Amino acid sequence: MLLVVVALFLAVELPAYVGLDPAASRVPARPDLPLHYPLLVAHILFGSVALVTACLQIWPWLRRAHPVVHRRSGRIYLFGGVFPGGLAVLGVAPFSSTGPVSAVGNTALAVLWLATAVAGFRAARAHRYGDHRRWMLRSVALTFSIVVNRVWLVAYFLLFSPSLGDDPTALVLAAAGAAVWTSWVVNLLVVEWWVLRPPRRRHHRTV
Ligand code: HEM
């Protein structure tokens, strides 16, 4: 199910960027920042690797039945996805085309994306698998914030249209800024609740 959502997301988002044609980009060009477009495309391509491998990493059956595949795709998630994608986006996020609220929200997301992945990787190397699981769930929640971002964006457009409909620029800045923050904060809160909830009690029947 999650793989289908990711496939649909990538089918909509990637065509504008795989041709490496700056004119096709939906994010406005920054001629003053020559590295902006290459870093934008790099983060999208590495981000796509992160999204696909994240689906494999949180699939319980694969983890249990094929631990070697879990380990290999985990390395691809980190070294072919989150680490290069997170570093690339640090050169893009502070210059967001949708204003300072988005810029701060995306930069915070990029830093947390890298930090949670580093913490998860270190925990696995130290064989602290409980910590590893919790950090990687946080990392995956942040990876998926890009997908839910599109849903929040539509919701905020609808919510803000009555008050800001006469000023399209203000509407875009408000909706995009709110969507950036809501998408990763809510994802992180949901996962935090999930990893911190008390373990379910098992009912043992006494015979
Ligand atoms: C989780 C950390 C991420 C951060 C902080 C981040 C940040 C950003 C930023 C700052 C932009 C440029 C927005 C602008 O200037 O208007 C952007 C665009 C974009 N990002 Fe990410 N991103 C992240 C993850 C991902 C992932 C995992 C993907 C998956 C493919 C992705 C796909 C895209 C796409 C397709 C665009 C272009 C938007 C468009 O064409 O409308 N991002 N991102």
Side-chain angles (χ1 to χ4, degrees):
M1 173 65 189
L2 216 49
L3 260 178
V4 174
V5 173
V6 166
L8 283 175
F9 174 83
L10 295 179
V12 171
E13 299 285 341
L14 284 188
Y17 299 96
V18 283
L20 304 181
D21 174 12
S25 171
R26 280 189 298 265
V27 178
R30 292 292 303 253
D32 53 325
L33 300 169
L35 283 181
H36 183 266
Y37 181 72
L39 291 177
L40 175 71
V41 174
H43 113 273
I44 292 171
L45 297 181
F46 289 124
S48 306
V49 173
L51 270 180
V52 172
T53 47
C55 297
L56 301 180
Q57 291 313 98
I58 58 173
W59 187 6
W61 173 82
L62 189 74
R63 216 167 45 226
R64 274 194 305 269
H66 300 283
V68 176
V69 176
H70 175 78
R71 216 171 303 139
R72 289 207 181 125
S73 81
R75 287 202 187 114
I76 298 172
Y77 173 77
L78 291 174
F79 292 99
V82 179
F83 290 149
L87 290 174
V89 84
L90 283 177
V92 177
F95 313 102
S96 174
S97 67
T98 50
V101 176
S102 294
V104 175
N106 269 326
T107 307
L109 167 60
V111 170
L112 289 176
W113 202 33
L114 286 167
T116 50
V118 168
F121 179 61
R122 283 168 54 99
R125 300 289 294 172
H127 306 287
R128 289 184 282 108
Y129 293 112
D131 287 345
H132 168 67
R133 176 180 161 271
R134 285 186 283 274
W135 282 115
M136 294 320 292
L137 284 173
R138 292 176 184 122
S139 168
V140 167
L142 295 177
T143 302
F144 273 93
S145 69
I146 188 68
V147 179
V148 292
N149 176 287
R150 289 358 185 199
V151 180
W152 285 113
L153 195 58
V154 173
Y156 283 122
F157 264 111
L158 296 175
L159 190 67
F160 298 156
S161 278
S163 53
L164 296 172
D166 295 341
D167 185 345
T169 307
L171 179 60
V172 168
L173 296 191
V180 164
W181 281 97
T182 315
S183 54
W184 70 257
V185 171
V186 170
N187 275 19
L188 210 49
L189 286 175
V190 170
V191 155
E192 212 54 34
W193 164 78
W194 178 261
V195 299
L196 294 180
R197 80 200 193 291
R200 250 188 287 161
R201 289 227 180 122
R202 297 225 171 101
H203 296 286
H204 294 289
R205 251 195 230 164
T206 44
V207 186

